[in-house]
Amino acid sequence: MILLVVAILLFGLLHLVPAMPAVKAKAVAQLGKAYGPVYGIASLILLVFAFWAFRHAEVSFLYDVPTWGRYANFALSLLGFVCLGIFLFRGSWRQAVRFPMGLAVVLWATGHLLANGDVRTTILFGGLAFFAVMHVVLALRQNPAVAEVRRGHNLMSVLAGLALYGVAAQLHQVIAGVPLVQLLPP
C-alpha cells in the first residue's frame, strides 16, 4: 500500500508542474526541448507504477458503496472520457469547459469511488481526484492562454472520447486486473 501512496504522490506532484509557471519555466530552462518528452515519459512511467502498485496492493474494504454506484461509474467514466476527447482536440468546447482534463479525471475518479469501497481504490482514485482539483485551482490563479479553436473538432472530440472509453473498457481486465463486466457468476 505504501508503494501505491508513493506512486500517486509522485504522479500528482509531477502533474502540478504545468500549473505552476515558475516551476515549469525552471524545468524548461534546464531541459530545453527535451522537457516535453521527459515530462511525457516520466508521466507514463509513474502511471504504470501506480497501476502496478494498485494491482499488488492488498484489498481491504473501507466503506459500503451504494447499490447504484456501479451504474454511476459507467456514466461518469463515459463523461470523463468525452472530456478527455475534448481535451485532446482543439474545438470550441475545450474553451467552454476550460479544464477538460481535470474534469475528466474528477469524473472518472468519482465514478470509481462510488463503485468500489476498498482502500486501494480510495488511495488511487481519491489521490488522482485530489491532484486534478489542485491542478485546476492552481491553474485558475494564472491567466491561461486561449488555445486556437479548430472547426469540426467538437464532433471529433466526442468520437475520440467514445473510442477511448471503448478501448479502456476492453483493456480494463489487463490494466486493473478486474473485469469490467462479469457475465458468468464466479
Side-chain angles (χ1 to χ4, degrees), residues 50-125:
F51 280 115
W52 177 86
F54 173 82
R55 288 193 63 169
H56 290 85
E58 180 182 327
V59 178
S60 56
F61 287 93
L62 184 62
Y63 59 90
D64 292 327
V65 296
T67 56
W68 47 266
R70 183 178 171 120
Y71 305 108
N73 186 21
F74 286 126
L76 290 172
S77 292
L78 176 62
L79 289 173
F81 274 98
V82 169
C83 286
L84 176 61
I86 291 170
F87 171 78
L88 294 173
F89 288 88
R90 304 263 185 228
S92 62
W93 291 348
R94 182 169 178 170
Q95 304 307 320
V97 177
R98 290 274 315 264
F99 298 101
M101 179 60 97
L103 181 58
V105 172
V106 169
L107 289 168
W108 180 59
T110 301
H112 281 77
L113 291 171
L114 288 170
N116 304 289
D118 58 287
V119 174
R120 71 182 188 159
T121 298
T122 304
I123 291 170
L124 177 68
F125 292 103

Side-chain angles (χ1 to χ4, degrees), residues 151-169:
R151 294 178 48 85
H153 280 230
N154 288 340
L155 176 61
M156 287 173 49
S157 65
V158 172
L159 294 175
L162 293 173
L164 289 170
Y165 181 76
V167 169

